[in-house]
């Protein structure tokens, strides 16, 4: 028995590709409906969606060797293999909010202008926009809407106005008419505040309609910048170049080109501004020092002139010249040291000022200390990188905070280096002062006036040298600013790359593919979830003898409808007719032939057969009536007995009412008194109806009258066919089976669960029912237009040719 169970068809039995394709062909109308709906939506989507174009440009980011403003660095040879430009940072900078906000302001992206066309709105810009609008009282990000009607005679009508963004509910009676003269209009007072109309010089009247109803949608600069940022993309061509591909998408080609050009322009301007910050701070520092030294130098010159005139002093003698020169040299060195100490203290004061923590340090080349100069140069470069990162994100960015911590450490290192350098300068100055004191002691014998005069001349010379030095540095700083070129070079100017969507051909192809895939997937899913017996293929592995199959034609029973207690017309259940050779007639003739081979006659006694099934609704009554009819066509006398005492389906099918088998088994009637004939079955078929429903059907079937009746009918007829209740539901079928020679088990396609076929196989294997044979009922009619072609070629096995079907009724 276990071996037989392994042969049972599994509930999840799959179908082949060929069967699946025939299923799809049978449900062709599903595909038509899906294609109409999806393709219709695709056409609507294409009509409602404006075309989107892509604009692109390529820029080369130049390599920079140093951010120092020193002019000497400008003329150094460039090493092409050594670059400190981070191309990824420049890509982020191109899409930074600062640049997007500036582009939004320059191009007026705070206002959108649209006109309604057939389905999709059209954006106006450049040559298609006659007038632009500027709002003065809505702030940078205020939102509002208004309608603007433009006529070819330069008449503009404004209104209605909506401050809540819903133009449909605005007051349509409030309108303002303006006549444009080619110049900006006067300030207009509107419900949205002050408004100015700006005629567009690029507007082409010849290509525009006679009038335009334009929706002016003020979204704000932030929204315009955000929308622009969402459409801009940057990428590097390869890992070995610094060429950045810049692209964006827009529904207006003119606006797309202007946006790309403005992004590149603003980026270059910001880069120049950032690079020149160090030079600007250095220039300011030098100007301040020059003003101070110029005032001090003027004071010293005046003091020397006044002192000589007052005391009428001649030039110093040659005897004191050497000593004077030595003193003067020492004082010059002390003066130079003072200048360095002063510059170092200025740098220290700059570092100690918290308000200047994120301002570049002035040039330190005058200190004369290479270590301090290098640290300051590296500090200025790190500070520039930090400020760029703040512009692209915020000061709360973890990377910015890490950079701030690194800058704080660098400032402490610079302070330590400057303090050490000041200490060394002070020590050197003390040594020079000692030398000066020695020389001055030797000059004490000279007149006091000469000493005083020498001191003033020394001050004069020191300040003159410092003044000339600062003038030279200022010119160098200005020259370095003049050499600050743009950081980028345009490799490919902004151009329109082409249409990026929607693509009608691609969209329709996808719609057709989806229209085919959805019903196909649904058909596959329904078939995969179908656990019912579908046809001959599902029962091929059973070892029970197969008697034949009956195809179905017409509508399937609608089992989801509620049952009603109404009398059913079963007159069409007898489909076997004399001389008729349709598909159902031929199917019953095949069954008749198979039964003759399976039912050997002994002693010229009738063969007794019971017709049953596993569950109600399988068509056993239909099989019994038509089997009796097809046997009678060969001249056989057939007794058709309705022993379904609980339901009486066979008696109800032929309209046999009144007395029947229940009366006979109770002893109230004789067989001759209950026998009747079925009009459509011919004279050779006698019907023994069930009669009134008894209170104890099972006990009646155990009576000796039933056995005696069967024995009598065996002698009077060639075949005895008994219509029984379904097995396992009640005990009637088991009781009747003891008296029969053969059991015809009806399996209804589309009704019986495939998992229950194992139970049917066990009936046969265990011999529970005598000489079981299976009749497969309700397989799709291969001539029906509503039949699945899979069933025709896979599960149905339609062999019978053309003709007739039936709609099953119990």
């Amino acid at each position: 028995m276990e071996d037989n169970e392994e042969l049972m068809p599994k509930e999840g039995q799959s179908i082949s590709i060929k069967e699946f394709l025939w299923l799809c062909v049978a449900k062709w109308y599903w595909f038509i409906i899906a294609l109409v709906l999806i393709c219709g939506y695709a056409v609507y989507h294409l009509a409602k969606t404006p075309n989107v174009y892509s604009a692109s440009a390529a820029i080369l980011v130049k390599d920079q060797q140093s951010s120092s403003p020193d002019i000497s660095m400008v003329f150094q040879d460039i090493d092409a293999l050594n670059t400190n430009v981070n191309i990824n940072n420049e890509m982020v900078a191109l899409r930074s909010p600062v640049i997007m906000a500036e582009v939004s302001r320059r191009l007026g992206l705070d206002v959108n202008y649209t006109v309604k066309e057939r389905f999709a709105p059209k954006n106006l810009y450049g040559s298609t926009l006659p007038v632009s609008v500027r709002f003065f009282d809505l702030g940078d990000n205020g939102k509002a809407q208004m309608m603007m009607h433009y006529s070819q005679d330069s008449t503009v009508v404004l209104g209605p106005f909506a401050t809540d963004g819903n133009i449909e509910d605005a007051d349509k009676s409030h309108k303002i008419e303006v006549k444009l003269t080619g110049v900006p209009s006067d300030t207009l007072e509107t419900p949205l505040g002050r408004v100015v109309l700006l005629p567009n010089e690029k507007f082409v009247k010849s290509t525009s309609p006679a009038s335009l109803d334009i929706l002016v949608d003020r979204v704000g600069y932030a929204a315009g910048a955000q929308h622009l940022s969402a459409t801009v993309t940057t990428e590097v061509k390869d890992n070995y170049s610094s060429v950045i591909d810049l692209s964006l998408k827009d529904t207006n080609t003119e606006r797309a080109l202007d946006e790309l050009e403005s992004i590149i322009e603003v980026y270059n301007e910001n880069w120049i501004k950032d690079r020149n910050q160090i030079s600007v701070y250095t220039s300011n520092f030098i100007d301040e020092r020059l003003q101070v030294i110029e005032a001090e130098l003027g004071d010293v010159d005046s003091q020397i002139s006044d002192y000589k005139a007052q005391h009428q002093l001649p030039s110093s003698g040659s005897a004191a010249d050497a000593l004077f020169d030595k003193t003067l040299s020492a004082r010059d060195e002390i003066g130079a040291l003072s200048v360095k100490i002063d510059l170092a203290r200025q740098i220290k004061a700059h570092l100690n000022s918290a308000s200047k923590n994120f301002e570049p340090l002035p040039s330190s080349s005058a200190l004369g200390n290479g270590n301090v100069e290098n640290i300051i140069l590296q500090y200025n470069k790190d500070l520039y990188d930090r400020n760029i990162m703040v512009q692209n994100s915020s000061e709360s960015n973890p990377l910015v905070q890490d950079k701030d911590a690194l800058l704080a450490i660098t400032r402490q290192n610079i302070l330590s280096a400057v303090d050490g350098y000041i200490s060394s300068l002070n020590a050197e100055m003390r040594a020079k002062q000692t030398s000066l004191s020695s020389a001055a002691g030797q000059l004490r014998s000279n007149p006091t006036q000469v000493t005083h005069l020498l001191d003033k001349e020394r001050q004069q010379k020191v300040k003159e040298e410092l003044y000339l030095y600062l003038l030279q540095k200022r010119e160098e700083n200005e020259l370095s600013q003049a050499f600050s070129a743009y950081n980028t070079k345009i490799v490919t100017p902004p151009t329109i790359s082409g249409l990026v969507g929607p693509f009608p051909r691609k969209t329709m192809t996808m719609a057709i593919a989806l229209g085919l895939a959805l019903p196909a997937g649904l058909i596959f899913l329904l078939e995969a979830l179908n656990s019912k017996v579908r046809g001959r293929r599902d029962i091929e592995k059973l070892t029970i003898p197969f008697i034949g199959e009956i195809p179905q034609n017409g509508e399937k029973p609608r089992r989801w409808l509620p049952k009603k207690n109404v009398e059913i017309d079963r007159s069409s259940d007898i489909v076997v007719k004399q001389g008729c050779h349709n598909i159902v007639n031929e199917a019953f003739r095949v069954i008749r032939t198979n039964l003759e081979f399976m039912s050997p006659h002994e002693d010229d006694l009738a063969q007794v057969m019971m017709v049953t099934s596993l569950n109600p609704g399988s068509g056993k009554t239909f099989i019994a009536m038509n089997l009796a009819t097809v046997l009678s066509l060969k001249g056989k006398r057939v007794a058709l007995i309705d022993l379904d005492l609980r339901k009486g389906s066979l008696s109800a099918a032929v309209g046999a009412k009144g007395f029947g088998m229940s009366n006979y088994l109770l002893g109230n009637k004789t067989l001759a008194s209950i026998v009747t004939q079925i009009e459509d079955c011919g004279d050779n078929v006698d019907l023994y109806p069930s009669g009134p429903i008894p209170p104890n059907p099972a006990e009646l079937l155990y009576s000796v009258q039933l056995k005696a009746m069967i024995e009598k009918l065996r002698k009077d007829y060639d075949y005895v066919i008994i219509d029984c209740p379904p097995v396992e539901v009640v005990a009637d079928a088991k009781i009747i089976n003891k008296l029969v020679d053969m059991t015809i088990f009806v399996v209804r396609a589309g009704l019986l669960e495939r998992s229950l076929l194992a139970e049917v196989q066990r009936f046969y294997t265990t011999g529970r029912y005598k000489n079981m044979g299976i009749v497969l009922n309700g397989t799709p009619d291969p001539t029906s237009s509503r039949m699945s072609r899979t069933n025709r070629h896979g599960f149905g096995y339609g062999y019978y040719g053309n003709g007739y079907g039936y709609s099953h009724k119990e």
Side-chain angles (χ1 to χ4, degrees), residues 28-38 515:
W28 60 269
Y29 49 91
W30 288 20
F31 292 88
I32 297 298
I33 295 173
L35 286 172
V36 170
L37 293 178
I38 296 177

Side-chain angles (χ1 to χ4, degrees), residues 261-304:
E261 292 175 354
S262 296
I263 289 173
I264 298 173
E265 180 180 351
V266 173
Y267 167 78
N268 285 329
E269 291 176 0
N270 289 350
W271 189 90
I272 291 295
K273 181 179 178 181
D274 293 337
R275 287 296 180 181
N276 286 338
Q277 280 185 347
I278 299 175
S279 298
V280 170
Y281 284 113
T282 302
S283 179
N284 294 336
F285 174 77
I286 293 175
D287 290 340
E288 293 175 1
R289 295 306 303 159
L290 283 174
Q291 292 177 3
V292 174
I293 294 173
E294 185 177 0
E296 293 176 353
L297 185 59
D299 292 341
V300 172
D301 291 340
S302 178
Q303 291 174 8
I304 292 175

Side-chain angles (χ1 to χ4, degrees), residues 117-411:
E117 292 190 341
R118 291 185 179 178
F119 295 99
K122 178 183 178 182
N123 289 319
L124 302 182
Y125 182 86
S127 61
T128 60
L129 177 64
V131 182
S132 59
V133 184
R134 289 294 175 266
F135 299 86
F136 293 104
D137 297 331
L138 294 179
D140 287 346
N141 298 311
K143 301 183 185 304
Q145 286 185 343
M146 72 176 184
M147 292 301 299
M148 179 172 64
H149 179 81
Y150 174 81
S151 302
Q152 286 283 15
D153 60 356
S154 299
T155 300
V156 176
V157 179
L158 302 180
F161 305 88
T163 56
D164 58 355
N166 189 359
I167 196 67
E168 300 296 335
D169 299 334
D171 183 9
K172 296 179 173 56
S173 62
H174 192 175
K175 295 186 179 182
I176 301 174
E177 184 173 342
V178 180
K179 184 71 173 183
L180 297 180
T181 59
V183 295
S185 67
D186 295 332
T187 302
L188 304 175
E189 294 294 338
T190 70
L192 306 180
R194 293 174 299 161
V195 169
V196 170
L197 303 181
L198 304 174
N200 185 8
E201 297 178 355
K202 297 181 179 180
F203 176 63
V204 181
K205 286 187 176 182
S206 60
T207 60
S208 65
S211 63
L212 292 171
D213 288 321
I214 304 172
L215 173 64
V216 181
D217 185 12
R218 212 283 182 160
V219 296
Y221 291 107
Q226 184 177 4
H227 175 74
L228 178 61
S229 178
T231 62
V232 175
T233 58
T234 55
E235 62 179 358
V236 182
K237 282 185 174 295
D238 54 61
N239 296 329
Y240 303 99
S241 70
S242 57
V243 176
I244 298 177
D245 285 333
L246 187 65
S247 63
L248 61 82
K249 299 175 183 178
D250 204 314
T251 56
N252 190 288
T253 56
E254 293 182 71
R255 184 169 60 186
L257 295 176
D258 287 349
E259 288 170 345
L260 277 184
E261 292 175 354
S262 296
I263 289 173
I264 298 173
E265 180 180 351
V266 173
Y267 167 78
N268 285 329
E269 291 176 0
N270 289 350
W271 189 90
I272 291 295
K273 181 179 178 181
D274 293 337
R275 287 296 180 181
N276 286 338
Q277 280 185 347
I278 299 175
S279 298
V280 170
Y281 284 113
T282 302
S283 179
N284 294 336
F285 174 77
I286 293 175
D287 290 340
E288 293 175 1
R289 295 306 303 159
L290 283 174
Q291 292 177 3
V292 174
I293 294 173
E294 185 177 0
E296 293 176 353
L297 185 59
D299 292 341
V300 172
D301 291 340
S302 178
Q303 291 174 8
I304 292 175
S305 177
D306 291 345
Y307 191 82
K308 284 184 176 182
Q310 181 181 358
H311 298 281
Q312 297 180 355
L313 293 176
S315 299
S316 301
S318 59
D321 286 345
L323 185 60
F324 180 77
D325 290 338
K326 179 179 179 181
T327 303
L328 187 60
S329 176
R331 289 177 177 177
D332 291 339
E333 292 176 356
I334 290 173
L337 292 174
S338 297
V339 171
K340 293 182 179 180
I341 291 173
D342 185 48
L343 291 175
R345 287 174 178 171
Q346 291 289 336
I347 293 174
K348 183 177 179 181
H350 187 284
L351 291 171
N352 288 329
S353 177
S355 62
K356 298 182 179 181
N357 278 350
F358 300 109
E359 294 181 1
L361 292 174
S363 175
S364 58
S365 59
L367 287 175
N369 188 308
N371 184 36
V372 176
E373 292 177 5
N374 290 336
I375 296 176
I376 290 177
L377 289 176
Q378 183 61 38
Y379 174 83
N380 286 336
K381 179 181 180 301
D382 293 340
L383 181 60
Y384 170 75
D385 293 339
R386 181 259 181 199
N387 290 337
I388 289 298
M389 293 174 64
V390 169
Q391 292 180 8
N392 295 330
S393 56
S394 64
E395 293 184 354
S396 61
N397 191 321
L399 296 177
V400 174
Q401 294 177 357
D402 293 342
K403 204 70 172 181
D404 290 344
L406 178 61
L407 290 172
I409 296 173
T410 305
R411 283 195 292 271

Side-chain angles (χ1 to χ4, degrees), residues 384-629:
Y384 170 75
D385 293 339
R386 181 259 181 199
N387 290 337
I388 289 298
M389 293 174 64
V390 169
Q391 292 180 8
N392 295 330
S393 56
S394 64
E395 293 184 354
S396 61
N397 191 321
L399 296 177
V400 174
Q401 294 177 357
D402 293 342
K403 204 70 172 181
D404 290 344
L406 178 61
L407 290 172
I409 296 173
T410 305
R411 283 195 292 271
Q412 293 300 323
N413 292 339
I414 295 175
L415 284 172
S416 300
V418 170
D419 288 337
Y421 186 54
I422 292 174
S423 298
S424 65
L425 291 175
N426 289 330
E428 187 177 353
M429 179 174 284
R430 287 192 294 271
K432 296 297 181 181
Q433 288 175 347
T434 300
S435 177
L436 178 61
S437 297
S438 176
Q442 296 177 15
L443 286 173
R444 285 173 187 165
S445 58
N446 292 342
T448 303
Q449 295 87 349
V450 175
T451 303
H452 180 77
L453 185 60
L454 290 175
D455 182 62
K456 294 298 181 180
E457 289 177 349
R458 175 192 59 78
Q459 294 182 22
Q460 181 187 41
K461 186 175 182 180
V462 169
K463 294 185 182 299
E464 284 178 351
E465 291 179 353
L466 180 57
Y467 187 77
L468 293 174
Y469 176 79
L470 291 177
L471 283 176
Q472 179 186 357
K473 290 302 178 183
R474 185 174 67 176
E475 294 302 319
E476 291 178 356
N477 188 63
E478 295 295 332
L479 187 60
S480 68
Q481 293 187 52
F483 272 88
S484 295
Y486 284 156
N487 186 38
T488 60
K489 177 183 179 181
I490 297 180
V491 178
T492 303
T495 55
I496 297 299
S497 304
L499 182 68
V500 295
F503 298 102
R505 180 176 299 178
K506 183 178 180 180
T507 302
M508 293 307 299
T509 300
M510 293 179 62
I512 292 173
L514 188 61
L516 296 176
L518 283 180
L522 181 60
I523 290 172
F524 181 81
L525 180 63
L526 292 177
E527 191 62 24
L529 297 177
N530 182 13
S531 60
K532 306 293 184 179
V533 173
R534 291 172 289 189
R536 174 81 173 271
R537 177 178 162 185
D538 286 336
I539 63 173
E540 281 181 339
K541 292 185 178 181
L542 298 178
T543 59
I544 307 173
F546 184 75
I547 302 175
E549 63 176 305
I550 305 300
Q552 174 177 327
N553 191 17
E555 298 290 337
K556 294 183 178 180
R558 299 182 179 180
R559 301 188 179 278
W560 61 86
L561 295 178
K563 294 182 178 180
K564 299 180 180 179
N565 295 324
V566 296
E567 185 174 353
I568 304 174
D569 181 12
R570 308 298 298 268
S571 59
S572 63
D573 281 359
I574 301 177
V575 297
V576 176
K577 305 293 181 181
Q578 179 71 36
C580 184
H581 298 282
N582 59 35
I583 186 172
V584 179
N585 276 260
E586 293 301 321
F588 276 104
R589 288 185 175 92
V590 170
I591 292 176
R592 181 183 64 188
T593 303
N594 291 337
L595 285 176
E596 291 175 349
F597 285 102
M598 295 174 61
S599 306
H601 291 267
E602 297 180 359
D603 302 328
D604 294 330
L605 296 178
Q607 185 71 21
V608 180
M609 298 175 285
M610 64 176 284
V611 182
T612 186
S613 62
L614 190 63
N615 46 8
S618 297
K620 55 184 181 59
T621 300
F622 169 80
I623 298 295
M625 288 191 300
N626 287 279
L627 181 59
T629 304

